[in-house]
Every structure is written in C-alpha cells, then in structure tokens.
Amino acid sequence: MWFKTVHAYRLHGAAAVGIALDTLTSALADHTHRPVSSAEARRLGWYPPAGRQGTQLVHEIQGHRLLTVLRQERLLPASVIREEVEERVAEREAADGRPMPRRDRQAIKEQVIEELLPRAFTRTQRIDMWWDTDRALIAINAASRTRAEEVLDLLRQSLGSLQVTPLAVRQLPSRTMTDWVQRPETRPPWLCIGEKAVFEAPGDDGKWSASGVDIDAEETQSVLEPDRQVTRLQIEIDERVTAMLHDDLTLKSIRFADALLDEASQADTDDPVMRLETDFVLMAGALRECIEQLIDGLGGEADPAAPAETTS
C-alpha cells in the first residue's frame, strides 16, 4: 500500500470545502468494480482498499482518506489487430481488383477488434488514492499521469462534478532544480540531493542521464553548460522520503525511511484492516509534510483559477 508514485492535485469548490464520508461512500457504491465484459476494452471501478479482507470503500483516519480503484483491460496487441486487418484487406482487394477505400479499412478494423476482444486476456491493476481532506489535496499512486486522470474521471463520474487541477508552483520546477544542483547554497535545509538526475537541453542530443554519481562533482556540474536544465532529480526530504522529482511535480520511485517503516511494523495487531490503516496514516502523514516542504522549496504554490464545474 505504500505509494511508489504520487501525482498530486489540488481540489477546488465543493470537494475542497468537504464531502461527508457517508455521502462519498454512497456515491462510490454506485460505481464499484465489476469484471470487464467481453465487449469492453477496459473498465474501472471502486474496490475496498483492504481487498477481500475488507468491505469499506473508504478508510478515513485523521483527515486522510484512502480509496482504491481496480482497472481491468483486455490485452489486444496492436500488432495482432494490424496483421488480421491486413490479411482481410488483402483478400478483399484481390477479390475486387482495386485498392480498398480508407473508410472500408476502418470498418474492417472495428470488426476485427469486436471479434477478438472476447478472446483477449485481461489484466487487472490496483490504483490507490490518498485524499487529504484537511489540505484539499488528492494524490494518486499510478504509473502514469494518464492512469491518474482516469481515476479522477471515475471520481468525477461518481460525485457528479469535481473541480481539480494538477498541483502547481509559482516557479518552473526545472529552474529551481537546476539552481539546487548548480548552487548548493540555494538548497533548503531539509533537502538532500541524491545520485540520480536527468539533464535536458533543446534538441534530440540534449538529454543526459546520471545515475550513481556525485551531483556536486565538477564533471557533473559541467554537463549543465551552457543551456541544459535539470528535469528530474533524486531528492531526500527531511530524511523521511526519497524520490525522483520530475519537472511536472510528479514524485516517482518513492522510498520511505527505515525508521518510518519500522514504526509501522511495530503495530501490535494481526488484523489486516488495522495494519492497512496503520501503514496508511503513517505514510499519509509523512507525505503531507514532505509535499508542503517541497511546495515551499519550489517557490510556493501557484494560484490557478479554479476550473469550471464539470458534470457527467
């Protein structure tokens, strides 16, 4: 359950003010997980965070809410579709003695997908969401921004409307990260630079990745000349959380300090639900503090206009 990735979003409007736990639970109940059908390419639904050992769709502890989505999709490789389409098109063109119009090719492709979907294997992914009700913040543990947005779409569909924007800061994160690397005196006291970074400049040959190196070493510093900027940087925040910070504020490859994990392991309970909640509240508390420190270190949070109310 410990998050490996964080895509962070700021809530606005009614969701930021607060949604009662009963109201939220009832809304999610209408969109719970069910297996993807033979006619569907993918399906998302809410699922108890404790899995088969739990029934609650939302766990709330000390202002932190934990929600879980199961995403099921049918695996239908593009190469398989393309091969079948080309074979059928070739047969039709040979029979008709002329090239097939693009419209007809698209119709054959849709027919192939419809026929192959029921026979395709399915893959299930679990995606966890942390909702900090005190800070009007949502963080999603998803492999990509696209997956995170799918979860937000499901939440929007469940609630009827949702005002949310990606977390943003006043200064360009890449500029601040470059300053941290070039000028150690600009680093906040709680920040420690790791041994991984990605340096980028305009053009195809302007990207350079560093791993297992001393970022402060002269040879590493020289890579920033003349116009490269840091777009990813391994950081440690307050000796509690280590992560790769990306220039869109995504945190990846998150690792929590051994002291925090040891504290979680000392929970005196064999109840899997209680253990889940213990892990979650410790993780959420650490992430809350680290995100606040990170926002401050990156120049403070931007104040974007709240998005228009969206309904489904």
Side-chain angles (χ1 to χ4, degrees):
M1 193 282 309
W2 294 81
F3 283 22
K4 297 296 185 183
T5 302
V6 161
H7 299 279
Y9 298 85
R10 179 63 68 195
L11 289 161
H12 309 274
V17 174
I19 297 175
L21 179 59
D22 290 346
T23 301
L24 175 61
T25 301
S26 177
L28 301 186
D30 292 332
H31 297 82
T32 54
H33 165 72
R34 67 166 176 79
V36 62
S37 72
S38 61
E40 293 176 310
R42 70 187 59 85
R43 182 171 180 82
L44 283 78
W46 301 106
Y47 191 73
R52 296 177 181 176
Q53 297 167 318
T55 58
Q56 295 174 248
L57 291 177
V58 183
H59 291 262
E60 181 170 27
I61 311 100
Q62 300 175 13
H64 302 289
R65 289 174 175 173
L66 175 63
L67 297 78
T68 296
V69 166
L70 283 193
R71 182 185 188 276
Q72 277 194 331
E73 65 175 336
R74 292 197 171 272
L75 303 179
L76 196 54
S79 59
V80 173
I81 298 173
R82 183 168 56 251
E83 182 178 342
E84 182 66 22
V85 169
E86 291 302 325
E87 183 176 337
R88 297 189 188 188
V89 168
E91 291 177 357
R92 284 274 300 275
E93 288 182 340
D96 297 344
R98 59 181 176 82
M100 179 177 291
R102 179 179 299 179
R103 181 182 63 254
D104 293 347
R105 292 177 68 98
Q106 181 62 32
I108 287 180
K109 181 178 179 180
E110 293 173 359
Q111 181 183 16
V112 167
I113 293 174
E114 183 179 350
E115 292 176 5
L116 294 181
L117 264 181
R119 291 181 277 162
F121 290 107
T122 61
R123 177 175 62 185
T124 302
Q125 295 174 297
R126 171 183 171 135
I127 304 175
D128 292 318
M129 172 193 291
W130 159 46
W131 185 333
D132 186 340
T133 60
D134 293 336
R135 302 295 193 275
L137 183 77
I138 278 180
I140 300 174
N141 181 25
S144 67
R145 180 73 67 173
T146 299
R147 294 287 180 268
E149 296 287 346
E150 287 181 349
V151 172
L152 289 177
D153 285 342
L154 179 62
L155 183 60
R156 182 176 294 111
Q157 182 181 2
S158 301
L159 295 176
S161 64
L162 184 69
Q163 293 178 306
V164 61
T165 55
L167 190 65
V169 290
R170 295 193 187 104
Q171 301 175 12
L172 285 174
S174 57
R175 183 176 301 169
T176 303
M177 288 191 287
T178 303
D179 284 343
W180 287 346
V181 169
Q182 287 185 314
R183 299 188 294 142
E185 69 275 10
T186 65
R187 300 171 191 169
W190 43 263
L191 178 71
C192 181
I193 300 298
E195 297 181 335
K196 295 181 180 180
V198 174
F199 306 83
E200 293 191 53
D204 295 338
D205 299 326
K207 185 174 181 179
W208 185 76
S209 298
S211 180
V213 302
D214 181 359
I215 298 297
D216 292 328
E218 184 176 348
E219 55 268 28
T220 307
Q221 293 286 323
S222 66
V223 175
L224 283 170
E225 303 296 338
D227 58 351
R228 280 195 176 104
Q229 288 200 323
V230 180
T231 57
R232 303 177 194 173
L233 182 64
Q234 186 183 51
I235 60 174
E236 182 181 74
I237 304 173
D238 204 22
E239 299 184 347
R240 303 186 75 189
V241 174
T242 300
M244 282 293 289
L245 172 63
H246 291 229
D247 56 2
D248 64 352
L249 297 186
T250 299
L251 294 172
K252 293 191 174 183
S253 303
I254 297 173
R255 290 186 289 110
F256 295 89
D258 290 341
L260 192 65
L261 298 178
D262 289 342
E263 183 179 354
S265 67
Q266 292 171 6
D268 186 18
T269 178
D270 293 327
D271 184 344
V273 175
M274 185 67 69
R275 181 164 295 279
L276 171 76
E277 293 184 344
T278 299
D279 289 350
F280 170 62
V281 74
L282 288 172
M283 180 201 73
L287 284 178
R288 171 192 280 178
E289 294 178 8
C290 290
I291 289 174
E292 289 182 345
Q293 288 176 298
L294 192 56
I295 290 173
D296 183 65
L298 291 169
E301 187 171 358
D303 187 22
E309 189 78 7
T310 305
T311 59
S312 58

